[in-house]
Amino acid sequence: MIKGKWALVTGASRGIGLRVARALAEKGAQVILQSRKLSGTEKLKQEIIGMGGVAHSIAAELSDLNAVYTLIKKVKNITGDHLDILYNNAAIMTTYREQFYDTPADDYTMSFLVNSTVPALLCNAFIPAMIKHGWGRVVNVTSGIADQPSLLAYSASKAALDRYVRDMVPTLEGTGVLMNLMDPGWLRTDLGGPNAPNDPDTVLPGALVPVLLEDSQASGKLYCAQDYGE
Ligand SMILES: NC(=O)c1ccc[n+]([C@@H]2O[C@H](COP(=O)([O-])OP(=O)(O)OC[C@H]3O[C@@H](n4cnc5c(N)ncnc54)[C@H](OP(=O)(O)O)[C@@H]3O)[C@@H](O)[C@H]2O)c1
């Protein structure tokens, strides 16, 4: 179903993004791998090419809007403005603020920029062409984090992303483009830290569920990857 489709996975150098990008490539998607440095995705790119797949790497610092606009241009050039799958995965975790009333404004500014504004900009850049082509899958990676005032700048940025999905989904009705949220669960990645209960590999196969939906299936849902354990 996704063989030959173009997919952009942000944050594909490690953790969840790496696993999602590899899994999409194994299903025949042509993948574009973003991280901060080209070297971050080089190994995965070679692995995918080695198995007969198509992979491109793009470096972009997502807190730099000029770099984001350049990323969009490069993806449009590579795909002929025909991106089919947008997997908005990259995000930053803010510092744990023991004294949560003292959380600096910068925590909010940075996390909203990278975790909510940039995913929204990428959606806005690529969804119109998906609608034109009558098919698209957009997955925005959110978080089940709750009751953690020390990480509020991070959780609030994910809430803003959830809201983007909720308010945009009605505009996609009947277009063939489905946009959903994916909560990976708490995983031992660099972002999740060593105390997380789940191995990063447990994000699959659930993380692919919102990509592999039939056109008739719903948009605007929250898919929890841990619900699909093998
Ligand atoms: N792990 C968890 O327990 C957990 C739980 C809930 C939600 N999530 C969400 O799952 C997603 C992936 O998390 P993860 O645990 O896989 O994180 P991770 O292992 O820390 O990987 C983060 C990825 O995002 C990229 N990235 C981060 N900041 C960036 C920036 N400013 N500009 C460009 N690229 C940037 C990194 O690229 P570089 O290698 O170049 O830095 C890396 O590829 C995030 O949206 C996160 O909020 C994770």
Side-chain angles (χ1 to χ4, degrees), residues 10-19 34-37 40-41 59-64 88-93 110 114-115 140-145 154 158 161 182-193 196-198 200:
T10 65
S13 56
R14 48 199 168 93
I16 293 160
L18 179 143
R19 287 160 175 83
Q34 175 276 335
S35 71
R36 274 179 259 232
K37 292 188 177 146
T41 52
E61 167 54 63
L62 298 181
S63 63
D64 171 356
N88 262 325
N89 164 76
I92 52 168
M93 171 56 84
M110 275 302 283
V114 175
N115 301 355
N140 288 313
V141 180
T142 187
S143 171
I145 190 169
Y154 170 78
K158 290 296 187 180
L161 185 61
M182 193 282 286
D183 172 8
W186 189 16
L187 312 174
R188 289 185 296 276
T189 61
D190 293 336
L191 186 149
N198 300 302

Side-chain angles (χ1 to χ4, degrees), residues 9 11-26 31-34 38-51 53-57:
V9 181
S13 56
R14 48 199 168 93
I16 293 160
L18 179 143
R19 287 160 175 83
V20 166
R22 183 192 283 131
L24 290 172
E26 282 168 357
V31 293
I32 303 172
L33 313 167
Q34 175 276 335
L38 285 179
S39 58
T41 52
E42 182 60 24
K43 191 162 165 251
L44 178 60
K45 180 178 137 183
Q46 292 309 333
E47 182 188 327
I48 293 168
I49 291 169
M51 66 190 196
V54 175
H56 296 257
S57 290

